Amino acid sequence: MTAPGSSTATPTWIQEYDVIVAGSGAGGVCGAYTAAREGLSVLMVEASDKYGGTTSYSGGGGVWFPCNPVLQREGVEDSLDDALTYYHSVVGDRTPMELQETYVRGGTDLIEYLEKDDKLKFAAMPWPDYFGKAPKAKTDGMRHIAPRPLGVAKAPAYKDLVRGPLDVERHGSETPDNYYIGGRALIARFLNAIDDYPNATKMLNTPLVDLVVEDGVVTGAIVEIDGKREAIRARCGVVLAAGGFEANDELRATYGVPGTARDTMGPNTNQGLSHLAGIAAGADTDLMEQAWWSPGLTHPDGRSAFALWFTGGIFVNQDGERFVNESAPYDRLGREVLRQMDAGTASLPFWMIYDDTEGEQPPVKAANFEFYPTQDYRDKGLWHTADTLEELATKIGVPAEALTATVARFNEHVEAGVDPDFGRGDEAYDRAFSGGKPPLAAIKTGPFHAAAFGLSDLGTKGGLKTGVAGNVLRADGSTIDGLYAAGNTMAAPSGYAYPGGGNPIGTSMLFSHLAVRDIVARGK
């Protein structure tokens, strides 16, 4: 069998297709759909026993595509030039400008293409840009759209085959039998649409583990079927859209990604196999130490999970002091935690301090799955309650005098309606969950509570370097013919930044779509 990167004899192919797509998240299904619709025979392989990847865990399933037809119908005043000004102002020169421009401008045409299929429907979902003070930021949130919910009755075959929701996986809850929503709706809609094309084949439990390279051209893939490695030919190209490597602690350590696989929101099959296959085929990489970060509420199973929409509370470090804007966009907040951990001014866990206004449960309205029983958090030392702040400080191991002074100072800011220390409420995103008002709630009503937080991520964002068509590049800038990458398998166009909600899913969809369109344009 041909080893990746070599030029030896052709292996024995068990099947042949025009295109092989690895992964079934947003990028995988969009790439497979595009290939099928354009008349190519396509095989989509998924490593796990369910479709959807990390996308299916997304509560909204949205994409950041400025000025797309959905938003145009809403009468949104915006321009692609303004959107690009904003995007570049927060990403900077960390990634190629042509890649940034391709992403910002490409979503409009993609949504127009997809909406020609009645099975693919979207709606505006306002979600403010994550750098509200940057030039041309859209603070009304109207650069973001999401898939419309889909009745399970419209795609019943996928009820138990689309990954998520998280309650199903973490609590054993029943899979919803009424609607697919959020990321699950996006995946189900694409799967339902793909089924209209007899030239499309889908395979679960089939990880792509290697690539076949002949004379510098990727001609196929090695996949595992029932534990056996088999070669499948790709006459036109292979699109790697298999997510990141966030669930692989060994690769995280190799590339210096902070945190652990335990705390990622990605599925445990996101092991980086497509990354390794691409690297073996000669691909260059970038941003391999990076991830999409978030604060993580720590649960009794030991995992810290992505959480947002805090209606109260403050975060304090090991010194009992505030150290961050608690209402900042999650990636910015996570990066600030990492920065201060490096500086020694923060450590894990850090603590959310809140009063009894909403009871003992932390004022977290989007924990992404149901809370465990309160006693479980107490038993694990994750939640603490005390009649006074001094007693609470003792329980969580921070200086009592500092904690009481921190809360007193914060309460003064609440009274004044402004946070001069960390700017909580200064930007539109901060106020998105508080009716447009500053998200400042006093900590006065005892008993007082503390909840442990750690660091979570939505997946790694480093990967194979690509050109504007998702074509994978070598270190010398040349293209590896026949190989493409999208989503978290490619090096993110956004670099160190997370410009707005829907960037990861949008990047996945767009570059897998562009990859297939490039294959078509080349007449393969």
Side-chain angles (χ1 to χ4, degrees), residues 88 92-101 286 465-466 492-493:
H88 183 61
D93 297 324
R94 180 58 184 82
T95 62
M97 186 62 191
E98 60 268 24
L99 207 60
Q100 297 181 34
E101 186 160 9
D286 194 18
K465 292 186 74 170
T466 70

Side-chain angles (χ1 to χ4, degrees), residues 275-347:
H275 288 71
L276 295 175
I279 291 168
D284 195 12
T285 61
D286 194 18
L287 298 165
M288 293 293 278
E289 78 288 356
Q290 293 295 310
W292 310 92
W293 300 110
S294 77
L297 178 64
T298 307
H299 296 276
D301 64 359
R303 292 187 283 183
S304 297
F306 172 47
L308 74 163
W309 189 353
F310 308 144
T311 55
I314 58 173
F315 286 143
V316 300
N317 60 15
Q318 68 270 26
D319 296 319
E321 299 173 344
R322 279 185 80 206
F323 64 99
V324 71
N325 169 9
E326 299 86 353
S327 296
Y330 40 90
D331 183 71
R332 290 176 64 184
L333 203 162
R335 288 178 183 276
E336 181 61 17
V337 171
L338 285 169
R339 187 189 71 79
Q340 296 211 30
M341 286 175 64
D342 287 342
T345 51
S347 61

Side-chain angles (χ1 to χ4, degrees), residues 1 12-14 209 221-225 228-232:
M1 186 171 289
T12 300
W13 308 111
I14 66 163
V209 296
I222 308 299
V223 301
E224 285 189 356
I225 303 175
K228 183 180 180 182
R229 294 195 171 200
E230 303 283 7
I232 301 179

Side-chain angles (χ1 to χ4, degrees), residues 7-137:
S7 301
T8 57
T10 302
T12 300
W13 308 111
I14 66 163
Q15 298 173 29
E16 294 190 12
Y17 297 87
D18 292 326
V19 177
I20 296 172
V21 177
S24 67
V29 293
C30 188
Y33 170 80
T34 303
R37 179 166 153 179
E38 295 301 315
L40 302 174
S41 62
V42 58
L43 170 66
M44 182 178 74
V45 294
E46 163 58 43
S48 75
D49 62 350
K50 294 184 185 296
Y51 298 109
T54 309
T55 301
S56 62
Y57 294 143
S58 171
V63 291
W64 192 88
F65 285 153
C67 304
N68 70 70
V70 177
L71 299 175
Q72 291 174 25
R73 293 194 295 269
E74 294 285 335
V76 175
E77 293 186 7
D78 197 6
S79 73
L80 290 173
D81 286 342
D82 282 355
L84 183 59
T85 295
Y86 166 74
Y87 191 91
H88 183 61
S89 74
V90 301
V91 175
D93 297 324
R94 180 58 184 82
T95 62
M97 186 62 191
E98 60 268 24
L99 207 60
Q100 297 181 34
E101 186 160 9
T102 296
Y103 175 65
V104 172
R105 297 190 185 279
T108 297
D109 289 343
L110 174 56
I111 295 301
E112 182 178 2
Y113 177 89
L114 296 177
E115 284 198 317
K116 290 178 180 178
D117 190 322
D118 287 341
K119 290 188 174 182
L120 301 173
K121 298 181 182 296
F122 301 88
M125 183 182 177
W127 201 258
D129 285 345
Y130 287 173
F131 293 80
K133 295 182 178 180
K136 303 300 182 180

Side-chain angles (χ1 to χ4, degrees), residues 130 157 196 235 243 283 293 324 338 352 408 429 461:
Y130 287 173
D196 287 342
R235 289 183 288 263
W293 300 110
V324 71
L338 285 169
M352 173 178 275
Y429 179 85
K461 65 186 302 189

